[in-house]
């Protein structure tokens, strides 16, 4: 398809498509003459992903570029590729990259012990080995530390049922991801799910809480 067709099929204004091309968010098309290029379904899929990241996820262009660089890195193994792309996404909570943790903060120390104990009980050896290298680990520690400071401390027994639920969700996620034909498409799908599907899980949880409260206590 031509560039105008790409914009029409995606619903993205042509000027915006050209901007994404200039910014390196969309790979160039196959050149067919000095002034025209041809685009295919992979460009359409990528354009929709970029649009979702920027418009729905409110992710800055520079961060989108970084995420997509990992998605497109054919030198990485499948797990590392998925992990690198997801690690580059913004996290709603946690310590900023490069910010040294406060070694004297008792709440953070308690959260670190809690997370390690939880991961050990779960048998999540990879997560334990990565530790603070993982932004998800750092965000979890920071959030639990904040709860501790506010007087709402949790323990491993509190967190274990949620972690087991997430374990089953991860199995389902990877079952769906592994059906895709290429590692690039799998990484794109993982990014799209992180941006678009995690809010679905959050809202399902809130609906379930309202439903359970109504069953127990009435409206």
């Amino acid at each position: 398809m031509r560039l105008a067709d790409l914009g029409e099929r995606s619903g993205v204004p042509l000027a915006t498509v050209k901007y994404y091309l200039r910014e390196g968010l969309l790979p160039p098309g196959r050149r067919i003459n000095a002034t025209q290029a041809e685009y295919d379904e992979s460009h359409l899929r990528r354009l929709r992903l970029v649009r979702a990241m920027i418009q729905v996820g409110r992710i800055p262009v520079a961060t989108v570029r970084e995420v997509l660089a990992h998605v497109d890195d054919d030198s990485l193994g499948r797990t590392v590729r998925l992990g690198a792309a997801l690690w580059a996404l913004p996290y709603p909570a946690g310590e900023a990259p490069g910010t040294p943790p406060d070694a004297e903060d008792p709440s953070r120390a308690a959260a670190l012990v809690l997370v390690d104990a939880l991961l050990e009980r779960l048998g999540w050896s990879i997560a334990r080995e990565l530790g603070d290298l993982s932004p998800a680990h750092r965000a979890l520690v920071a959030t639990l530390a904040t709860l501790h400071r506010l007087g709402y401390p949790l323990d491993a027994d509190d967190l274990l049922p949620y972690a087991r639920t997430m374990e089953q969700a991860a199995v389902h996620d990877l079952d769906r991801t592994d059906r895709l034909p290429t590692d690039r498409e799998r990484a794109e799908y993982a990014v799209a799910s992180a941006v678009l599907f995690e809010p679905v899980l959050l809202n399902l949880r809130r609906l379930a809480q309202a439903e359970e409260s109504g069953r127990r206590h009435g409206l």
Side-chain angles (χ1 to χ4, degrees), residues 2 13 24 27 35 39 52 57 65 70 74 78 85 90 95 102 125-126 130 135 140 147 150 158 172 176 185 210:
R2 303 296 174 87
T35 59
Y39 302 87
R65 189 185 299 110
H70 296 305
D74 292 327
R78 182 181 300 181
E95 297 152 350
D102 182 359
S125 57
I126 295 173
L130 289 171
L140 178 59
L147 285 167
L150 292 174
D158 295 321
H172 187 57
R176 295 179 68 191
E185 289 175 76

Side-chain angles (χ1 to χ4, degrees), residues 80-93:
V80 174
R81 192 174 191 164
L82 290 175
L86 294 176
W87 282 17
L89 288 170
Y91 274 72

Side-chain angles (χ1 to χ4, degrees), residues 45-110:
R45 186 179 67 245
R46 174 59 59 86
L47 179 55
R48 288 170 172 161
L49 175 60
V50 169
R51 194 66 164 166
M53 293 172 72
I54 291 174
Q55 280 207 325
V56 180
R58 307 296 183 190
I59 300 173
V61 168
T63 303
V64 172
R65 189 185 299 110
E66 180 185 357
V67 171
L68 295 178
H70 296 305
V71 168
D72 293 333
D73 190 345
D74 292 327
S75 70
L76 300 176
R78 182 181 300 181
T79 298
V80 174
R81 192 174 191 164
L82 290 175
L86 294 176
W87 282 17
L89 288 170
Y91 274 72
E95 297 152 350
T99 302
D102 182 359
E104 303 301 322
D105 181 1
S107 293
R108 186 180 188 279

Side-chain angles (χ1 to χ4, degrees), residues 143-156:
T143 303
L144 291 172
T146 301
L147 285 167
H148 187 274
R149 290 186 204 101
L150 292 174
Y152 303 112
L154 298 171
D155 59 28

